[in-house]
Amino acid sequence: MKKTWIGVIAGVTTLFLAGCGADGPQTPGTSSSVRPTTATSTSRPPVVTPPTGGPATAAPIDTTPGATGVPTTPAQPGPPPAPARGTVVLRTATLSGVPVPGVPVYLSLQQPCDPASHDIPVGETTETQRLDGVTDSSGLAAFTTTTGCYRFGMTAPAGTNPVPEGMHSLFLVDAGATVTGALRFQDTPSEPAPACAEPTIETELGVDPGPDALITLCDGRWAVVSWNSQGDNQRIITRSSGTWTTYVGFPHDTCWTEATAAGVPDSMRRYFSC
């Protein structure tokens, strides 16, 4: 009976010590079924478990500019739009349309000004660009330039007679368009053909222009002329009302007194015998 109580007490003691060891400190050299846990970094994306039971994946990161944690780069300003351009042609010619080449011309951009208005307000604009050129053999000078309001002009060459027309202006409104400005000159009267020229004499006398003419004397009103052809064709001619006519042909019997009265000059005295 005594041994039975001793065994009961020993078993209770063993159970008590086992229960206390489960909650107490770990004895060196022994292992425990309780494992320490590791804290999850808040910087990692949460794990998303797909509904099909597949492997867990990280939640996507929002990369939209401006989202938290995503750096943004400010938009850079683009280049300014290129100004619209067109062509201006300056033409120098006479009133009858004959080109006048070699004329220095200029084109002056006036701002501020709206070319669509076709008006340059006097005293309200200034020159912001000037283009210079010289007209070619056709009397033309071309400029490729921006749209806008322009004044233009020229430096008239010596010996020309420009038409006094005041200030010239033109308006280049549309991109790619061509606008022409006219600078005009008076027509130069054509000089009459020299009266003593062989073609003039032969044309006005109505003679054959083939043989060469020998014009001995000519003052524009009286002349002695002959041609390199057979026969005696020498004659004294006179010009009045713009036309040559024959005064006497050789031989003749007109006296000097009569010739003097007709206006024959003294230089032709030797062609008269009496």
Side-chain angles (χ1 to χ4, degrees), residues 53-146:
T57 59
I61 299 176
D62 186 2
T63 58
T64 304
T68 303
V70 178
T72 60
T73 301
Q76 298 297 321
R85 300 176 72 81
T87 302
V88 173
V89 177
L90 298 184
R91 181 173 184 263
T92 52
T94 66
L95 292 174
S96 64
V98 178
V100 180
V103 179
V105 295
Y106 70 86
L107 192 62
S108 172
L109 177 61
Q110 301 290 309
Q111 290 180 334
C113 181
D114 179 12
S117 68
H118 283 248
D119 177 60
I120 301 178
V122 178
E124 299 181 19
T125 63
T126 58
E127 179 184 283
T128 59
Q129 184 182 20
R130 180 185 173 104
L131 302 172
D132 294 276
V134 178
T135 57
D136 60 15
S137 59
S138 299
L140 301 175
F143 303 88
T144 299
T145 185
T146 58

